[in-house]
């Protein structure tokens, strides 16, 4: 299936609208599962369906052209798009409440737990700083935390062993927590 998706994404990139529809159809349920995990415990104003559709619009840039090359690139881009959407929403909510102190967020090995807007903003700022220092670890955090991918899914996407990814995940978590302290 990953090979099929890569072929479909390459065809879509070449301008084949049917390939884009097929690729998105194959990945839709997985994206909804990820979005549901990200929104677990939320206030209900942003649903997994809305988050997936908004992320798709960001992926296509509004003109229907998908600029991703393969499955890894798709999930990296989708995770980043969902992160941006959640951060934008958190900024709006924080602005409505006139801000507040940023707090430390503990990242666990599961999908994103319920994060308050100020926690999500603190995480986003720390991720930006981590990306300046170590872009590969930022990508790992985005794929693991925001896309909800497990180590078995990450090994072929990132081309590193599970042991290495676990070590990098622990280091990235520690770095983010230090930046957010």
């Amino acid at each position: 299936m990953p090979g099929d998706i890569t072929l479909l994404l390459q065809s879509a990139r070449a301008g084949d609208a049917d390939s884009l529809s097929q690729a998105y159809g194959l990945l839709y349920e997985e994206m909804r599962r990820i979005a549901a995990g990200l929104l677990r415990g939320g206030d209900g104003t942003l649903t997994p369906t809305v988050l997936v559709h908004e992320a798709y619009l960001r992926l296509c840039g509004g003109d229907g052209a998908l600029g991703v090359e393969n499955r890894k690139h798709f999930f990296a881009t989708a995770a980043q798009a969902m992160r941006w959407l959640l951060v934008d929403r958190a900024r709006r909510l924080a602005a409505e409440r006139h801000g507040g102190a940023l707090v430390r967020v503990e990242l666990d090995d599961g999908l994103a737990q319920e994060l308050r807007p100020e926690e999500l903003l603190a995480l986003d700022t720390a991720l930006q700083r981590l990306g300046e220092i170590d872009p590969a670890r930022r990508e790992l955090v985005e794929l693991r935390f925001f896309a909800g991918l497990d180590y078995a899914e990450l090994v072929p996407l990132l081309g590193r062993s599970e042991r290495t990814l676990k070590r990098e995940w622990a280091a990235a978590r520690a770095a983010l927590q230090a930046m957010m302290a």
Side-chain angles (χ1 to χ4, degrees), residues 129-158:
R129 290 177 53 202
L130 180 64
E132 293 168 4
I133 299 165
D134 191 340
R137 286 194 177 149
R138 188 207 68 224
E139 179 183 37
L140 173 62
V141 171
E142 286 179 336
L143 289 170
R144 183 127 174 83
F145 190 73
F146 287 97
L149 301 179
D150 62 25
Y151 293 111
E153 294 169 308
L154 290 170
V155 168
L157 289 178
L158 299 178

Side-chain angles (χ1 to χ4, degrees), residues 32-45:
R32 271 196 37 79
R33 178 189 57 81
I34 291 165
L38 286 170
L39 298 173
R40 182 179 48 226
D43 61 9
T45 58

Side-chain angles (χ1 to χ4, degrees), residues 61-133:
D63 62 3
L66 188 63
V68 297
E69 299 167 7
N70 54 38
R71 189 173 191 268
K72 174 193 174 194
H73 192 205
F74 177 85
F75 277 109
T77 307
Q80 192 172 57
M82 285 193 259
R83 172 184 158 206
W84 289 340
L85 288 164
L86 291 172
V87 167
D88 287 347
R89 181 173 180 267
R91 283 188 180 125
R92 280 192 310 277
L93 292 173
E96 289 172 10
R97 289 195 295 251
H98 305 291
L102 297 179
V103 296
R104 180 177 165 159
V105 175
E106 297 288 331
L107 300 179
D108 65 14
D109 287 340
L111 292 173
Q113 66 270 10
E114 176 184 349
L115 292 178
R116 294 188 321 249
E118 54 273 4
E119 293 171 333
L120 189 57
L121 291 174
L123 176 59
D124 181 59
T125 300
L127 271 173
Q128 288 174 4
R129 290 177 53 202
L130 180 64
E132 293 168 4
I133 299 165

Side-chain angles (χ1 to χ4, degrees), residues 21-73:
S21 294
Q22 290 174 12
Y24 187 65
L26 290 172
L27 296 168
Y28 182 79
E29 281 307 313
E30 194 166 353
M31 285 184 64
R32 271 196 37 79
R33 178 189 57 81
I34 291 165
L38 286 170
L39 298 173
R40 182 179 48 226
D43 61 9
T45 58
L46 183 63
T47 65
T49 301
V50 170
L51 182 58
V52 168
H53 290 198
E54 289 291 326
Y56 177 77
L57 289 174
R58 285 214 180 179
L59 285 171
C60 292
D63 62 3
L66 188 63
V68 297
E69 299 167 7
N70 54 38
R71 189 173 191 268
K72 174 193 174 194
H73 192 205

